[in-house]
Amino acid sequence: MPANETAPPVKKKGRRARLIVLVLVLALFAGLGYGAYWGVDGVRASFPQTTGSLKVPGLTGTVDVKRDEHGIPQLYADNDEDLFRAQGFVHAQDRFWEMDVRRHMTSGRLSEMFGSGQVETDAFLRTLGWRQVAQEEYDKKLSPETKKYLQAYADGVNAYLKGKSGKDLSVEHAALGLSSDYKPEQWSPVDSVAWLKAMAWDLRGNMQDEIDRALMSSKLSPAQIDELYPPYPFDRNRPIVEGGKVEGGKYAPQGTTGSTGTKDGTVTGTGSNASTANGGTTGITGPTGLADNATAQGATVGLRTQMTSLAKTLDQIPAILGPNGSGIGSNSWVVSGKYTTTGKPLLANDPHLSPQLPSVWYQMGLHCRAVSAQCQYDVAGFTFSGMPGVVIGHNTDIAWGMTNLGADVTDLYLEQVKPEGYVYDNRVLPFTTRVEEIKIAGEKSKKITVRTTNNGPLISDRSDELGTVGSRAPVASSAPDRGTGYAVALRWTALDPGKSMDAVFKLDKAKNFDDFRKAAADFEVPSQNLIYADNKGQYGNIGYQAPGRIPVRGAGDGRMPAPGWDPKYAWKGTPGSATGWIPQSELPWEQNPQRGFIVTANQAVVEAGTGAGKYPNTLTTDWGYGARSQRINDLIEAKIKDSGKISTDDMRAMQMDNSSEIAALLTPMLAKIEVKDPDVRSAQKLLEGWNYTQEPDSAAAAYFNAVWRNILKLAFGDKMPKELRIEGSCMNVHDQSSGPNDDLAEVVRECGMRGSDSAQPDGGDRWFEVVRRLVKDEKSPWWAAPKKNLTVPATTTRDELFARAMEDARWELTAKLGKDQSTWSWGRLHQLNLKNQTIGTEGPGFMQWLLNRGPWNLGGGEATVNATGWNASSGYGVTWVPSMRMVVNLNDLDKSRWINLTGASGHTYHSNYTDQTTMWAKGELLEWPFGKEAVDKATVDTLTLKP
């Protein structure tokens, strides 16, 4: 429930009066001499026209834009290009500020809008070269049809921009115009393609884990690091696909019924990748590699400095979709019509991304008045502003959803750099270089040189710290001379041009599982779990496909930075080549499994290995640990066993499930601990009879999560190197510069350096698994914590540490929520605040007040199905959310349901700015009209776009 938020959406009557009152109040509050004029004019001027008619150059016929009371548009056209031209126009009407910021970010041009504070971010993004790769994709990879649609979309955006000044586009553009002469430029097709690179960056896999493991080696032994990255629990949390095998270069699923067989997707590589079990830290080894992890204990000021600086740089990159850690992911599942009340499949999806205002998603329908060769689309769902097509949704025949597969598609390579180039295979090779000019608002431009090796661009060039490696890097005697240090290169599949934009349009018009798999074959980056349902046959069909460009490695398993000078560690393909990826034909899939449902929630796709029923290729060694996926499996099976059938409302209820797996494990242990302090004992009593659900009004959930946070801090957080601890958290430690086992080391004051989104331990389901494995060992060294003060002794056992965590939690909540436990609630701790991602985050206080909304008190939590994530190192505030929810009813598409995090509009104080948020917080879903009759019934505004 919202703690301090506007009422549910008002009807159109009175909107204007409400707006005028609000902006006048804002103007008075701001105390600006011209505030009344600028407030009313700036806020209202950008609201789009939604009725009547407008001329749009380039259209060949009329397009109707029908909006419901929530401002969600359904577009009707007579040919494909008109449809996508209108989509660009409507996206720009509602979300152009968001689109404008995104394209500047993806091209490394934020400094042009916001000045010198963005230069480092721009330099890093220019080094990655997202825009350059997007241009190559457009020029060389995408189909003529896709390029035609991208151009039509760009023409629609530009038709909207024509003749408009800053205040006509958004209040943010108006505000920017007060301090600069910035004017938006024309939209281009490549602006749309580049957005896929930002999406891929935020879903890139285990790069953060790779950095963190390298940093941990400065303070923890290899065995300790292994304990913090345990193997996936296949015995408890089942993977997406079970029992399949690869034969003759093709993946053969098992346990399916009614499978019609499909043609294989395009094979883009050869060979397979030897599997490595999840868990087991591998150092950089080999005759020319770094020393193994036995040596790594002595550590690595150099490598540590490299990884620390890189981690800081990554924290500064705008995470459009969310923090790249254990929380980012999604839920999706599909149930066969055999087990639904409708008799046809039900499909649910809720991607877990960063909370933003406006939401990253935009709901829309794209309809041909009559489907034909000239007009092929009749589709609705969730789109990205700035990109044509529907990303997740359904058409008349099929529905699909996505979750992050989590494939390991990035590797960091240490490179020995010399004045004339870099070392590779005992030779010195020249860099590939290019010069980038960064234009800065109000200042002179800055030029940077981007250097690239055969392993990718040198991302260490963008930081003074990364440019220097310390003298103690753990290298074998046969490694190349360190000199002034090793540089760091990034190998990443998204830096090779691909065809993911083609896949979007193929999905939108797919009619069956064959079409779906063909579309998936082009969905190269980012690698996603794709689930499927259709309405054909007695019960319909359900399916799954793992797509993506996933590398085939040589030596190493991608868990730690690799020696770039050793060709054994190179990927099998070279940058820009079409080889070196696991063939699409070998990637796991299934259709109509005997169990009657498919669940994907970032768990392991398959069990890797060489035995019977094992998968021979390595997708990653850093899966999510399956807490959410197994809970969904259990809920579905329980419902089928109980009633035999699952309804649309059952699917919605599952999306809101708040049950905590770690609470179910630890609460019985906490309840048995003897507590002497009466105040702590009264808090402990809150856990008695608690059912482990995290409702927003639950005092027990508030106390348990505080205990969990303090357990993590005492057992693990205080043992982490400073580079992983939350920034500003300071403690006295022994100076480790001469080695972690130096008992005579001087005591120094050491403060954390990691940003709030990525600090460790974050409390995600990896930490669930860590604690689950340790909790049986009551005297594990992890339970040791130093004395707090003269009255709080050191702990040596599990129960001693748990008792101390319970006490610390009691006083933490007393400070945050008050001494009276009857006033405690999880929602008061666990709040969602929605912030505009630019001016609303770092702009003047008045603009933040104008643009931002919240807080809302939420239920749910970390690694629950209702995944309102929080980072245990930094506090309880919500850091990722189900960014939208949908349930598709394949029996009657008009009875499908959807909800967005915010609303259709990106214009502050528009009635559709956050009109869906309160309903979203309650777990409610909106009706989702699709057929023309249902759309007409829901329509409150119609705008006709004319040639």
Side-chain angles (χ1 to χ4, degrees):
M1 293 290 292
N4 177 24
E5 179 51 16
T6 56
V10 297
K11 299 297 182 182
K12 289 204 164 189
K13 294 180 180 178
R15 283 184 186 173
R16 177 171 174 152
R18 172 176 174 267
L19 174 65
I20 291 174
V21 170
L22 284 170
V23 294
L24 285 174
V25 170
L26 293 178
L28 290 171
F29 179 84
L32 299 174
Y34 54 89
Y37 167 77
W38 183 81
V40 173
D41 194 55
V43 172
R44 186 174 58 189
S46 61
F47 285 13
Q49 179 179 335
T50 58
T51 60
S53 63
L54 287 170
K55 289 186 177 181
V56 176
L59 288 177
T60 61
T62 62
V63 180
D64 292 324
V65 182
K66 300 183 177 185
R67 294 177 183 260
D68 65 10
E69 67 175 316
H70 298 287
I72 300 170
Q74 306 279 345
L75 278 53
Y76 290 85
D78 292 320
N79 64 72
D80 293 338
E81 288 178 85
D82 278 358
L83 191 61
F84 295 117
R85 186 174 284 107
Q87 185 182 19
F89 186 91
V90 173
H91 272 165
Q93 278 190 307
D94 284 335
R95 298 284 192 91
F96 184 69
W97 172 258
E98 175 188 20
M99 294 165 60
D100 203 14
V101 171
R102 280 181 183 172
R103 67 164 162 180
H104 280 80
M105 191 275 286
T106 57
S107 57
R109 297 171 54 204
L110 288 170
S111 299
E112 294 178 23
M113 297 183 78
F114 304 113
S116 58
Q118 298 297 323
V119 169
E120 289 186 15
T121 296
D122 283 346
F124 188 83
L125 294 173
R126 294 285 186 97
T127 299
L128 293 180
W130 291 355
R131 174 75 184 204
Q132 180 185 31
V133 178
Q135 185 71 57
E136 289 184 61
E137 290 184 353
Y138 184 80
D139 292 340
K140 301 175 182 178
K141 290 287 186 177
L142 299 180
S143 71
E145 184 178 62
T146 293
K147 293 168 74 171
K148 182 172 64 175
Y149 297 159
L150 286 164
Q151 186 61 61
Y153 181 91
D155 291 343
V157 176
N158 293 329
Y160 181 73
L161 296 179
K162 188 175 181 181
K164 288 184 171 61
S165 63
K167 71 176 183 179
D168 300 320
L169 296 173
S170 73
V171 71
E172 294 97 328
H173 279 106
L176 198 62
L178 294 176
S179 58
S180 73
D181 59 356
Y182 174 78
K183 291 181 175 59
E185 62 190 34
Q186 294 280 289
W187 193 267
S188 81
V190 182
D191 291 333
S192 297
V193 179
W195 164 240
L196 287 171
K197 299 303 166 188
M199 181 181 175
W201 176 254
D202 284 343
L203 301 174
R204 63 191 177 272
N206 77 335
M207 184 171 169
Q208 192 69 59
D209 289 326
E210 191 172 337
I211 294 168
D212 288 355
R213 282 190 288 260
L215 291 171
M216 285 179 187
S217 67
S218 69
K219 196 167 184 180
L220 303 177
S221 70
Q224 288 174 315
I225 295 173
D226 283 349
E227 286 186 298
L228 301 185
Y229 289 87
Y232 185 88
F234 285 100
D235 59 333
R236 190 175 66 256
N237 297 340
R238 63 183 168 211
I240 298 171
V241 177
E242 298 176 89
K245 57 185 177 180
V246 175
E247 290 182 332
K250 298 179 181 179
Y251 183 82
Q254 292 185 1
T256 62
T257 60
S259 176
T260 59
T262 62
K263 296 179 181 178
D264 296 314
T266 303
V267 175
T268 57
T270 59
S272 63
N273 201 4
S275 163
T276 302
N278 190 21
T281 304
T282 20
I284 306 171
T285 60
T288 59
L290 296 187
D292 63 26
N293 276 315
T295 308
Q297 293 183 51
T300 133
V301 175
L303 180 58
R304 184 177 177 183
T305 300
Q306 291 263 26
M307 295 299 106
T308 301
S309 183
L310 178 56
K312 282 185 176 180
T313 303
L314 296 180
D315 278 343
Q316 294 169 0
I317 303 304
I320 289 185
L321 300 183
N324 189 268
S326 66
I328 194 167
S330 305
N331 299 324
S332 71
W333 65 94
V334 60
V335 182
S336 166
K338 185 176 181 180
Y339 297 113
T340 67
T341 58
T342 66
K344 290 293 172 67
L346 294 172
L347 184 150
N349 196 187
D350 55 287
H352 306 157
L353 305 173
S354 175
Q356 297 182 28
L357 184 58
S359 165
V360 71
W361 299 108
Y362 183 97
Q363 296 147 290
M364 179 178 272
L366 301 172
H367 307 278
C368 290
R369 294 189 179 99
V371 176
S372 66
Q374 289 72 41
C375 201
Q376 305 172 75
Y377 296 88
D378 192 4
V379 60
F382 293 86
T383 71
F384 288 136
S385 302
M387 198 177 93
V390 169
V391 178
I392 295 174
H394 70 80
N395 58 33
T396 54
D397 299 295
I398 77 163
W400 67 96
M402 298 184 190
T403 65
N404 195 25
L405 191 150
D408 185 359
V409 296
T410 58
D411 277 343
L412 298 175
Y413 283 90
L414 301 182
E415 305 282 3
Q416 192 208 23
V417 174
K418 293 181 175 292
E420 63 273 27
Y422 62 98
V423 175
Y424 182 75
D425 197 16
N426 297 316
R427 295 177 294 154
V428 178
L429 304 180
F431 291 108
T432 301
T433 62
R434 68 178 190 275
V435 176
E436 297 274 354
E437 182 178 5
I438 300 173
K439 297 179 181 178
I440 306 168
E443 299 183 24
K444 291 181 63 176
S445 298
K446 177 180 178 179
K447 291 184 178 180
I448 63 169
T449 299
V450 177
R451 300 187 294 174
T452 302
T453 74
N454 56 7
N455 290 314
L458 286 187
I459 55 177
S460 54
D461 280 354
R462 303 284 72 86
S463 165
D464 291 339
E465 281 184 296
L466 281 168
T468 304
V469 177
S471 61
R472 299 177 188 266
V475 295
S477 58
S478 56
D481 178 62
R482 179 171 45 243
T484 58
Y486 294 124
V488 178
L490 173 66
R491 185 78 164 96
W492 178 31
T493 56
L495 299 185
D496 293 82
K499 299 185 291 184
S500 293
M501 197 70 238
D502 284 348
V504 173
F505 295 112
K506 288 182 179 181
L507 280 173
D508 284 357
K509 61 184 179 182
K511 295 187 177 301
N512 51 49
F513 195 52
D514 282 357
D515 291 346
F516 170 78
R517 291 195 67 211
K518 290 174 184 175
D522 285 340
F523 208 102
E524 298 168 326
V525 176
S527 185
Q528 298 289 286
N529 295 306
L530 295 177
I531 61 166
Y532 166 94
D534 68 37
N535 50 22
K536 305 298 190 296
Q538 181 179 5
Y539 297 119
N541 298 288
I542 64 174
Y544 164 81
Q545 175 69 60
R549 183 187 290 162
I550 302 171
V552 176
R553 292 177 173 81
D557 60 8
R559 289 174 56 84
M560 294 282 276
W565 51 82
D566 189 342
K568 292 198 300 296
Y569 287 83
W571 290 4
K572 295 300 184 183
T574 57
S577 74
T579 62
W581 322 119
I582 298 173
Q584 177 69 29
S585 61
E586 292 186 8
L587 291 177
W589 64 276
E590 64 180 349
Q591 185 182 19
N592 297 326
Q594 290 179 351
R595 63 185 176 276
F597 58 89
I598 301 170
V599 175
T600 83
N602 317 115
Q603 78 271 41
V605 173
V606 290
E607 185 170 2
T610 56
K614 302 291 184 67
Y615 185 68
N617 300 321
T618 296
L619 302 179
T620 185
T621 58
D622 286 302
W623 303 111
Y625 282 80
R628 283 180 286 111
S629 62
Q630 192 56 45
R631 175 63 177 173
I632 297 168
N633 274 304
D634 292 344
L635 289 170
I636 293 172
E637 289 181 331
K639 189 66 181 179
I640 291 173
K641 183 178 180 180
D642 179 51
S643 66
K645 302 291 182 181
I646 292 174
S647 68
T648 301
D649 195 58
D650 291 330
M651 302 283 275
R652 183 203 63 80
M654 291 177 193
Q655 288 179 325
M656 295 301 295
D657 182 78
N658 288 328
S659 178
S660 169
E661 178 186 283
I662 194 64
L665 174 68
L666 296 185
T667 298
M669 300 179 190
L670 297 172
K672 294 178 181 178
I673 293 175
E674 183 178 350
V675 176
K676 296 180 180 179
D677 187 310
D679 290 318
V680 179
R681 173 60 185 147
S682 66
Q684 184 185 36
K685 286 184 177 181
L686 292 173
L687 303 178
E688 295 177 2
W690 180 44
N691 64 355
Y692 318 130
T693 60
Q694 301 169 101
E695 299 298 329
D697 61 355
S698 172
Y703 182 60
F704 172 79
N705 281 312
V707 174
W708 170 237
R709 179 174 184 245
N710 280 279
I711 287 173
L712 291 170
K713 178 182 183 297
L714 293 169
F716 308 105
D718 291 347
K719 299 177 179 69
M720 291 284 171
K722 62 184 179 181
E723 294 85 358
L724 270 66
R725 297 202 314 270
I726 185 72
E727 187 175 8
S729 64
C730 300
M731 56 190 295
N732 294 325
V733 300
H734 287 90
D735 182 4
Q736 302 286 300
S737 59
S738 59
N741 298 318
D742 185 356
D743 295 330
L744 300 178
E746 179 184 356
V747 174
V748 296
R749 188 70 169 164
E750 184 182 86
C751 295
M753 302 170 63
R754 183 61 69 85
S756 60
D757 284 344
S758 56
Q760 293 295 331
D762 61 17
D765 67 353
R766 173 165 67 87
W767 293 100
F768 289 14
E769 191 63 22
V770 169
V771 172
R772 181 185 296 278
R773 288 169 174 267
L774 290 174
V775 79
K776 295 178 183 178
D777 182 359
E778 297 185 26
K779 296 184 179 181
S780 167
W782 291 107
W783 306 131
K787 66 180 181 180
K788 185 177 181 180
N789 51 45
L790 294 177
T791 61
V792 180
T795 69
T796 59
T797 68
R798 180 197 68 195
D799 285 356
E800 288 174 353
L801 185 139
F802 281 11
R804 183 158 151 188
M806 292 170 69
E807 180 178 357
D808 289 351
R810 182 17 161 147
W811 301 120
E812 181 186 1
L813 294 197
T814 297
K816 292 179 182 295
L817 303 178
K819 188 173 182 180
D820 184 359
Q821 293 172 192
S822 67
T823 68
W824 290 4
S825 71
W826 175 225
R828 285 180 62 199
L829 283 176
H830 192 51
Q831 292 187 328
L832 168 67
N833 286 281
L834 293 173
K835 293 185 177 182
N836 176 288
Q837 291 301 291
T838 49
I839 295 176
T841 303
E842 298 182 358
F846 167 65
M847 289 303 298
Q848 293 189 39
W849 185 75
L850 181 71
L851 296 170
N852 300 339
R853 298 292 182 271
W856 282 264
N857 295 344
L858 299 186
E862 185 61 51
T864 63
V865 181
N866 182 22
T868 56
W870 54 286
N871 187 306
S873 288
S874 56
Y876 305 96
V878 175
T879 56
W880 48 76
V881 293
S883 56
M884 63 81 159
R885 298 187 185 99
M886 75 175 193
V887 178
V888 182
N889 181 336
L890 273 296
N891 182 61
D892 186 345
L893 293 170
D894 289 329
K895 292 183 178 178
S896 300
R897 298 289 183 267
W898 60 356
I899 197 79
N900 204 352
L901 173 64
T902 60
S905 180
H907 299 287
T908 186
Y909 287 102
H910 192 282
S911 60
N912 301 133
Y913 191 48
T914 55
D915 60 322
Q916 297 185 50
T917 309
T918 296
M919 293 178 285
W920 170 92
K922 293 177 180 178
E924 297 174 2
L925 299 175
L926 298 175
E927 293 185 357
W928 181 354
F930 180 71
K932 188 174 185 305
E933 183 178 344
V935 169
D936 287 344
K937 184 178 179 180
T939 296
V940 296
D941 280 348
T942 300
L943 173 68
T944 300
L945 305 180
K946 297 182 176 181

